[in-house]
Amino acid sequence: LEDADVVADWAARFVLQRVTQFAPGPGRRFVLGLPTGGTPLGMYRRLIEFHRQGLISFKYVTTFNMDEYVGLPRDHPESYHYYMWNEFFKHVDIEPEHAHVLDGNATDLAAECQRFEDLIKEAGGVHLFIGGIGPDGHIAFNEPGSSLVSRTRVKTLAYDTLEANKRFFGNDITKVPRQALTVGVGTVMDAKEVMILITGAHKALALAKAVEEGVNHMWTVSAFQQHAQALFVCDEDATLELR
Ligand code: F6R
């Protein structure tokens, strides 16, 4: 698509269509996987507009976020809890008990990751997982070299990710948490549908690696070549390296 705004609008309309076409019932809710970061902000804004216009309700939607930093207080402006509540959840009619974000302050982080996997299973699996990627091709915090069948777990962040995210921490790399909880590549692969948003020339190499070379754990997003219903929504700049 033309640019990041068009990508945001397109992605929001895709969610609108999937959620409104879904028929909820007793124990049947639409299950949506969600990312944070700069890329999906425009999509969230459009979804809030659609909600205000009465076009979409999140009452029968359950969400699972991809990841969360370890050790940042929940109300820290850079925590993904804070981001999700401020940028999206508080503006729509989702019920808090149905909006799941990993707890990066849990005393037992491994148990928290297992709890998250169990919750996804209990919800019946994810209908649509929306993701973003880093310039190094990471999806969620599945850094280069992550197993392509990985599940939700604690991950130490790659230097490139700390570099890319320091802009959110006063440009001070020492303030970026070193670890995060993240869904695995396998967790996202289990979703019925996956939609990955990729914008900007700085992601062009990652997109080319993801779709024009083989499946490779050094570019974890390449795993989605083997997903039955994966969609990459890109702007022109992100396609610069495609053949
Ligand atoms: C976000 C996430 C990451 C980001 C990626 C791109 O929950 O898991 O994979 O999607 O780091 O971030 P932005 O959109 O800020 O370029």
Side-chain angles (χ1 to χ4, degrees):
L1 300 167
E2 204 175 315
D3 60 29
D5 288 341
V6 185
V7 167
D9 184 62
W10 199 97
R13 286 180 195 283
F14 190 83
V15 175
L16 174 74
Q17 192 204 45
R18 286 294 183 269
V19 171
T20 53
Q21 277 176 357
F22 182 80
R28 251 182 73 79
R29 306 174 57 81
F30 190 82
V31 184
L32 190 59
L34 295 174
T36 56
T39 314
L41 278 174
M43 175 191 74
Y44 289 135
R45 286 184 191 138
R46 290 296 284 144
L47 284 171
I48 293 165
E49 282 171 27
F50 293 156
H51 174 68
R52 290 190 177 139
Q53 292 161 8
L55 299 175
I56 187 170
S57 167
F58 293 87
K59 210 160 180 259
Y60 299 104
V61 175
T62 295
T63 63
F64 289 94
N65 263 84
M66 299 196 116
D67 40 19
E68 175 60 289
Y69 287 118
V70 167
L72 271 195
R74 203 176 259 245
D75 58 356
H76 187 289
E78 293 310 330
S79 86
Y80 290 174
H81 271 89
Y82 187 94
Y83 171 110
M84 287 311 298
W85 285 101
N86 280 285
E87 302 295 350
F88 188 49
F89 294 151
K90 79 173 184 194
H91 305 287
V92 297
D93 59 346
I94 193 159
E95 286 161 14
E97 69 267 34
H98 294 128
H100 302 285
V101 183
L102 283 151
D103 179 3
N105 292 294
T107 40
D108 185 342
L109 293 174
E112 169 61 8
C113 293
Q114 187 57 51
R115 187 188 70 88
F116 204 70
E117 287 277 337
D118 294 344
L119 278 172
I120 294 176
K121 213 183 217 170
E122 271 167 40
V126 175
H127 290 105
L128 171 64
F129 223 128
I130 303 170
I133 67 164
D136 61 0
H138 70 243
I139 169 137
F141 276 126
N142 294 288
E143 303 286 26
S146 293
S147 157
L148 300 185
V149 294
S150 49
R151 311 302 307 185
T152 306
R153 67 206 184 292
V154 186
K155 231 14 215 162
T156 298
L157 304 185
Y159 184 77
D160 281 355
T161 304
L162 301 179
E163 257 307 307
N165 288 4
K166 73 176 184 194
R167 66 190 198 273
F168 301 118
F169 292 86
N171 250 354
D172 180 354
I173 200 164
T174 66
K175 297 251 162 56
V176 189
R178 297 292 153 124
Q179 288 189 311
L181 303 185
T182 179
V183 294
V185 180
T187 318
V188 185
M189 283 290 283
D190 283 352
K192 289 194 185 74
E193 245 181 328
V194 177
M195 174 170 70
I196 298 170
L197 311 181
I198 309 177
T199 60
H202 60 305
K203 308 262 176 93
L205 178 64
L207 176 62
K209 293 279 180 189
V211 302
E212 290 188 341
E213 291 189 16
V215 173
N216 181 339
H217 70 162
M218 294 313 286
W219 297 88
T220 54
V221 70
S222 66
F224 293 89
Q225 289 180 28
Q226 294 186 326
H227 192 284
Q229 294 286 342
L231 178 66
F232 285 23
V233 189
C234 313
D235 70 353
E236 287 283 347
D237 285 353
T239 64
L240 284 172
E241 296 281 338
L242 295 182
R243 265 178 259 146

